[in-house]
Amino acid sequence: MFPRERTVQIDSQDKIERYAADVRDLDRTIGAFLEFDPRRRFAPSRAGSLAGVPVAVKDNIAVEGFRLSCGSRFLADFRSPYSATAIRKLEEAGALI
């Protein structure tokens, strides 16, 4: 265990902001994300085994309101009207999608 004066307490909002900054900086180089908006799915009142854990989702898994292109130019502007069961379960557990 670290001595108290050497540990830093970070609230969940700070963690999300740091994560978002890291992702944006790295994504400028690699271009991995079609969309990235950490605040869009953040619900501070949501608790669960994955509370506050960020999860990136490939564009072939349905997330309501996000693009679902499956890597196809034909579907480039299609937005999913629903979320896949796996996504709903992650959200129920408190994950940040």
Side-chain angles (χ1 to χ4, degrees):
M1 198 73 165
F2 293 103
R4 184 176 186 148
E5 60 274 5
R6 299 181 100 201
T7 61
V8 176
Q9 295 289 330
I10 301 173
D11 69 19
S12 59
Q13 191 63 37
D14 286 340
K15 286 180 185 178
I16 291 167
E17 288 172 12
R18 288 180 183 192
Y19 165 74
D22 289 346
V23 168
R24 283 189 190 104
D25 290 344
L26 184 58
D27 198 48
R28 286 185 190 121
T29 303
I30 62 174
F33 290 91
L34 294 177
E35 292 183 70
F36 181 72
D37 185 0
R39 295 176 189 271
R40 184 174 179 175
R41 293 288 185 186
F42 181 63
S45 61
R46 193 181 288 163
S49 59
L50 296 175
V53 175
V55 177
V57 180
K58 191 161 171 55
D59 70 333
N60 63 349
I61 299 175
V63 179
E64 184 177 353
F66 280 80
R67 284 193 276 180
L68 182 64
S69 68
C70 301
S72 169
R73 288 184 186 148
F74 183 74
L75 296 171
D77 295 323
F78 179 74
R79 295 203 174 265
S80 180
Y82 63 91
S83 287
T85 301
I87 298 302
R88 286 196 328 266
K89 290 188 178 283
L90 285 166
E91 290 176 329
E92 288 168 6
L96 302 176
I97 304 297

